[in-house]
Amino acid sequence: HRCGPIEGRERRPGGLRGGGRVDGRLRIGPSPRGHLTDERTRRRVADAVQRLGYRPDPAAARLAQHRPPRLGWVLPSGPNSFVAQLRQRIDSLQPWLDDHRMQGRVLQVDVFDAAAMAGCLRGLQGEVDTVIVMALDHPLVRAAIDELVAAGRCVITLVSDVPSSRRQHFVGIDNVAAARAATLHLAE
């Protein structure tokens, strides 16, 4: 559910009745005149938000702030030809990103140095909205991914998964399923 401007009696959920055109953010935050909303009103709005199951829409918030979505790719450093081709493809997407009012940047780090990878991920805190990463499954890296997710960032692991982290998505081969399929074929 998204909570937009509330107009007209039929569009005012129970806890938000009364007053003029207003949205939930203005009810519980500072008003344009700089005065804080009283505690009773804050509670009523918070209750209505809870009843409605409202969840903030990050895309709408970025749009309202006039800030484009920011993507960050973290790839392995080194001479790997697959990573070089992937980097070239990402770089070639820049015109498309520009057309869609998005920003992207690619960082390369030694993925086998867990401390360096975790430091790189932590450095993206507040710099990007989505992180696409080829990462080592290591406690330091898992912790850095979990911190990004806790801060509201989307984390997608690419090629190499960090399954026990809070990452939202994995793009790559499911090795467990592949092993299961291989075992079934060998048993035939």
Side-chain angles (χ1 to χ4, degrees), residues 74-76 80 82-83 86 109-112 117 121 131-138 141-142 145 155-165 167-175:
V74 181
L75 303 176
N80 183 301
F82 172 74
V83 173
L86 183 59
V109 64
D110 181 357
V111 294
F112 297 109
M117 173 60 76
L121 291 170
V131 179
I132 302 105
V133 59
M134 291 176 74
L136 177 68
D137 189 2
H138 185 278
V141 176
R142 282 192 301 268
I145 289 172
V155 178
I156 302 167
T157 55
L158 178 65
V159 180
S160 56
D161 196 9
V162 186
S164 57
S165 71
R167 56 92 175 124
Q168 283 88 342
H169 304 284
F170 167 59
V171 177
I173 296 171
D174 181 341
N175 289 322

Coordinates of all heavy atoms in Angstrom, one line a residue, residues 74-76 80 82-83 86 109-112 117 121 131-138 141-142 145 155-165 167-175:
V74 N 30.1 -4.1 -7.7 CA 31.4 -4.5 -7.1 C 31.9 -5.8 -7.7 O 31.3 -6.8 -7.5 CB 31.3 -4.6 -5.6 CG1 32.7 -4.9 -5.0 CG2 30.8 -3.3 -4.9
L75 N 33.0 -5.7 -8.5 CA 33.5 -6.8 -9.3 C 34.9 -7.1 -8.8 O 35.6 -6.3 -8.3 CB 33.5 -6.5 -10.8 CG 32.1 -6.1 -11.4 CD1 32.3 -5.7 -12.8 CD2 31.1 -7.2 -11.2
P76 N 35.3 -8.4 -9.1 CA 36.7 -8.8 -8.8 C 37.7 -8.0 -9.6 O 37.5 -7.7 -10.8 CB 36.7 -10.3 -9.1 CG 35.3 -10.7 -9.3 CD 34.5 -9.5 -9.6
N80 N 40.6 -11.6 -15.1 CA 39.6 -12.6 -15.5 C 38.8 -12.0 -16.7 O 38.3 -10.9 -16.7 CB 38.6 -12.8 -14.3 CG 37.6 -13.8 -14.6 OD1 36.8 -13.7 -15.5 ND2 37.5 -14.8 -13.8
F82 N 36.0 -13.1 -18.1 CA 34.5 -12.9 -17.9 C 34.2 -11.6 -17.2 O 33.3 -10.9 -17.6 CB 34.0 -14.1 -17.1 CG 32.6 -13.9 -16.6 CD1 31.5 -14.1 -17.5 CD2 32.3 -13.6 -15.3 CE1 30.2 -13.9 -17.2 CE2 30.9 -13.4 -14.9 CZ 29.9 -13.5 -15.8
V83 N 35.0 -11.3 -16.2 CA 34.8 -10.0 -15.4 C 35.1 -8.8 -16.4 O 34.3 -7.8 -16.3 CB 35.6 -10.0 -14.2 CG1 35.5 -8.6 -13.5 CG2 35.2 -11.1 -13.2
L86 N 32.1 -8.5 -18.6 CA 31.0 -7.9 -17.8 C 31.2 -6.5 -17.5 O 30.2 -5.7 -17.7 CB 30.9 -8.7 -16.4 CG 29.8 -8.3 -15.5 CD1 28.4 -8.5 -16.2 CD2 29.9 -9.2 -14.2
V109 N 37.6 -4.8 -6.7 CA 38.3 -5.1 -5.4 C 38.7 -6.6 -5.4 O 38.1 -7.4 -6.1 CB 37.4 -4.8 -4.2 CG1 36.2 -5.7 -4.2 CG2 38.1 -4.9 -2.9
D110 N 39.8 -6.9 -4.7 CA 40.2 -8.3 -4.6 C 39.2 -9.0 -3.8 O 39.1 -8.9 -2.5 CB 41.6 -8.3 -3.8 CG 42.1 -9.7 -3.7 OD1 41.5 -10.7 -4.1 OD2 43.3 -9.8 -3.2
V111 N 38.4 -9.9 -4.5 CA 37.3 -10.6 -3.8 C 37.8 -11.6 -2.8 O 37.0 -12.1 -2.0 CB 36.3 -11.2 -4.8 CG1 35.6 -10.2 -5.6 CG2 37.0 -12.2 -5.7
F112 N 39.1 -12.0 -2.9 CA 39.6 -13.0 -2.0 C 40.1 -12.4 -0.7 O 40.6 -13.1 0.2 CB 40.6 -13.9 -2.7 CG 40.0 -14.7 -3.8 CD1 40.3 -14.3 -5.1 CD2 39.1 -15.7 -3.6 CE1 39.8 -15.0 -6.2 CE2 38.6 -16.4 -4.6 CZ 38.9 -16.1 -5.9
M117 N 37.0 -6.5 0.7 CA 35.6 -6.6 0.2 C 34.6 -5.9 1.1 O 33.8 -5.1 0.7 CB 35.2 -8.0 -0.1 CG 33.8 -8.2 -0.6 SD 33.3 -7.3 -2.1 CE 34.0 -8.4 -3.3
L121 N 32.3 -2.6 0.5 CA 30.8 -2.6 0.6 C 30.4 -1.6 1.6 O 29.4 -0.8 1.4 CB 30.3 -4.0 1.0 CG 30.4 -5.1 0.0 CD1 30.1 -6.5 0.5 CD2 29.5 -4.8 -1.2
V131 N 23.3 -2.5 -4.7 CA 24.6 -3.0 -4.9 C 24.5 -4.3 -5.6 O 23.8 -5.2 -5.1 CB 25.3 -3.2 -3.5 CG1 26.7 -3.7 -3.7 CG2 25.4 -1.8 -2.8
I132 N 25.2 -4.5 -6.7 CA 25.3 -5.8 -7.3 C 26.8 -6.2 -7.1 O 27.7 -5.5 -7.6 CB 25.0 -5.7 -8.8 CG1 23.6 -5.1 -9.0 CG2 25.1 -7.0 -9.5 CD1 23.5 -3.7 -9.5
V133 N 26.9 -7.4 -6.5 CA 28.3 -7.7 -6.0 C 28.6 -9.2 -6.3 O 27.8 -10.1 -6.2 CB 28.5 -7.4 -4.5 CG1 27.5 -8.2 -3.7 CG2 29.9 -7.7 -4.0
M134 N 29.9 -9.4 -6.8 CA 30.5 -10.8 -6.9 C 31.3 -10.9 -5.6 O 32.4 -10.2 -5.6 CB 31.3 -10.9 -8.1 CG 30.5 -10.9 -9.4 SD 31.5 -11.0 -10.9 CE 32.0 -12.7 -10.9
A135 N 30.9 -11.6 -4.7 CA 31.5 -11.6 -3.3 C 31.9 -13.0 -2.8 O 31.3 -14.0 -3.2 CB 30.6 -10.9 -2.3
L136 N 32.9 -13.0 -1.9 CA 33.3 -14.2 -1.2 C 32.3 -14.4 -0.1 O 32.0 -13.4 0.6 CB 34.7 -13.9 -0.7 CG 35.4 -14.9 0.1 CD1 35.7 -16.2 -0.7 CD2 36.7 -14.4 0.7
D137 N 31.9 -15.6 0.1 CA 31.1 -16.0 1.3 C 32.0 -16.1 2.5 O 32.6 -17.1 2.8 CB 30.3 -17.3 1.0 CG 29.3 -17.5 2.1 OD1 29.1 -16.7 3.0 OD2 28.6 -18.6 2.0
H138 N 32.0 -15.0 3.3 CA 32.9 -14.8 4.4 C 32.1 -14.0 5.5 O 31.4 -13.2 5.2 CB 34.2 -14.1 4.0 CG 35.2 -14.1 5.1 ND1 35.2 -13.1 6.1 CD2 36.3 -14.8 5.3 CE1 36.2 -13.3 6.9 NE2 36.9 -14.3 6.5
V141 N 32.2 -10.3 5.0 CA 31.4 -9.8 3.8 C 29.9 -10.0 4.1 O 29.1 -9.1 3.8 CB 31.8 -10.7 2.6 CG1 30.9 -10.3 1.4 CG2 33.3 -10.5 2.3
R142 N 29.5 -11.1 4.8 CA 28.1 -11.2 5.2 C 27.6 -10.1 6.1 O 26.6 -9.5 5.9 CB 27.9 -12.6 5.9 CG 27.8 -13.7 5.0 CD 27.3 -15.0 5.7 NE 28.1 -15.4 6.8 CZ 29.1 -16.2 6.8 NH1 29.5 -16.8 5.6 NH2 29.8 -16.5 7.9
I145 N 27.2 -6.9 4.0 CA 25.9 -7.0 3.2 C 24.7 -6.8 4.1 O 23.8 -6.0 3.8 CB 25.8 -8.4 2.5 CG1 26.9 -8.4 1.3 CG2 24.4 -8.6 1.9 CD1 27.0 -9.8 0.7
V155 N 20.6 -5.4 -2.1 CA 21.9 -6.1 -2.4 C 21.6 -7.4 -3.2 O 20.8 -8.2 -2.8 CB 22.7 -6.5 -1.1 CG1 24.0 -7.2 -1.5 CG2 23.0 -5.2 -0.3
I156 N 22.2 -7.4 -4.4 CA 22.1 -8.6 -5.3 C 23.5 -9.2 -5.4 O 24.4 -8.5 -5.8 CB 21.6 -8.1 -6.6 CG1 20.2 -7.4 -6.5 CG2 21.5 -9.3 -7.6 CD1 19.8 -6.7 -7.7
T157 N 23.6 -10.5 -5.1 CA 24.8 -11.2 -5.4 C 24.8 -11.8 -6.8 O 23.8 -12.2 -7.3 CB 25.1 -12.3 -4.3 OG1 24.0 -13.2 -4.3 CG2 25.3 -11.7 -3.0
L158 N 25.9 -11.7 -7.4 CA 26.1 -12.1 -8.8 C 27.1 -13.2 -9.0 O 28.3 -13.0 -8.5 CB 26.5 -10.8 -9.6 CG 26.7 -10.9 -11.1 CD1 25.4 -11.3 -11.8 CD2 27.2 -9.6 -11.7
V159 N 26.8 -14.2 -9.6 CA 27.7 -15.4 -9.9 C 28.1 -16.2 -8.7 O 27.8 -17.4 -8.6 CB 29.0 -15.0 -10.7 CG1 29.8 -16.2 -11.0 CG2 28.6 -14.3 -12.0
S160 N 28.6 -15.5 -7.7 CA 29.0 -16.2 -6.4 C 28.0 -15.7 -5.3 O 28.0 -14.5 -5.1 CB 30.4 -15.9 -6.0 OG 30.7 -14.6 -5.9
D161 N 27.3 -16.6 -4.7 CA 26.3 -16.2 -3.7 C 26.9 -16.1 -2.3 O 27.9 -16.7 -2.0 CB 25.2 -17.2 -3.8 CG 23.9 -16.7 -3.1 OD1 23.8 -15.5 -2.8 OD2 23.0 -17.5 -2.9
V162 N 26.2 -15.3 -1.5 CA 26.4 -15.3 -0.1 C 25.1 -15.6 0.6 O 24.4 -14.7 1.1 CB 26.9 -13.9 0.3 CG1 27.3 -13.8 1.8 CG2 28.1 -13.4 -0.6
P163 N 24.7 -16.9 0.5 CA 23.3 -17.3 0.9 C 22.9 -17.0 2.3 O 21.7 -16.8 2.6 CB 23.3 -18.8 0.6 CG 24.7 -19.2 0.6 CD 25.5 -18.0 0.2
S164 N 23.8 -17.0 3.3 CA 23.4 -16.8 4.6 C 23.4 -15.3 5.0 O 23.1 -14.9 6.1 CB 24.4 -17.5 5.6 OG 25.7 -17.1 5.4
S165 N 23.6 -14.4 4.0 CA 23.4 -13.0 4.2 C 22.0 -12.6 4.0 O 21.2 -13.4 3.6 CB 24.3 -12.2 3.3 OG 23.8 -12.3 2.0
R167 N 21.0 -10.6 1.7 CA 20.9 -10.1 0.3 C 19.5 -10.5 -0.2 O 18.9 -11.5 0.2 CB 22.0 -10.7 -0.6 CG 22.1 -12.2 -0.6 CD 21.3 -12.8 -1.7 NE 21.4 -14.2 -1.8 CZ 20.4 -15.1 -1.8 NH1 19.2 -14.6 -1.6 NH2 20.6 -16.4 -1.9
Q168 N 19.0 -9.6 -1.1 CA 17.6 -9.8 -1.6 C 17.5 -10.8 -2.7 O 16.5 -11.5 -2.9 CB 17.0 -8.5 -2.1 CG 16.5 -7.6 -0.9 CD 17.6 -6.7 -0.4 OE1 18.8 -6.9 -0.6 NE2 17.2 -5.7 0.4
H169 N 18.5 -10.8 -3.6 CA 18.5 -11.7 -4.8 C 19.9 -12.3 -5.1 O 20.9 -11.7 -4.7 CB 18.0 -10.9 -6.0 CG 16.7 -10.2 -5.8 ND1 15.5 -10.9 -5.8 CD2 16.4 -8.9 -5.6 CE1 14.5 -10.0 -5.6 NE2 15.0 -8.8 -5.4
F170 N 19.9 -13.4 -5.8 CA 21.1 -14.0 -6.3 C 20.9 -14.2 -7.8 O 19.8 -14.8 -8.2 CB 21.4 -15.3 -5.6 CG 22.4 -16.1 -6.3 CD1 23.7 -15.6 -6.5 CD2 22.1 -17.4 -6.7 CE1 24.7 -16.4 -7.1 CE2 23.1 -18.2 -7.3 CZ 24.3 -17.7 -7.6
V171 N 21.8 -13.8 -8.6 CA 21.8 -14.1 -10.1 C 23.0 -15.0 -10.4 O 24.1 -14.6 -10.2 CB 21.9 -12.8 -10.9 CG1 21.9 -13.1 -12.4 CG2 20.8 -11.9 -10.5
G172 N 22.7 -16.3 -10.7 CA 23.8 -17.2 -11.0 C 23.3 -18.6 -10.9 O 22.1 -18.9 -10.9
I173 N 24.2 -19.5 -10.9 CA 23.9 -21.0 -10.9 C 23.6 -21.4 -9.5 O 24.4 -21.1 -8.6 CB 25.0 -21.8 -11.5 CG1 25.2 -21.4 -13.0 CG2 24.8 -23.3 -11.4 CD1 26.4 -22.0 -13.7
D174 N 22.5 -22.1 -9.3 CA 22.2 -22.7 -8.0 C 23.0 -24.0 -7.9 O 22.6 -25.0 -8.5 CB 20.7 -23.0 -7.9 CG 20.3 -23.6 -6.5 OD1 21.2 -24.1 -5.8 OD2 19.2 -23.5 -6.2
N175 N 24.2 -24.0 -7.3 CA 25.1 -25.2 -7.2 C 24.4 -26.4 -6.5 O 24.7 -27.5 -6.9 CB 26.4 -24.8 -6.6 CG 27.2 -23.9 -7.4 OD1 27.3 -24.1 -8.7 ND2 27.9 -22.9 -6.8

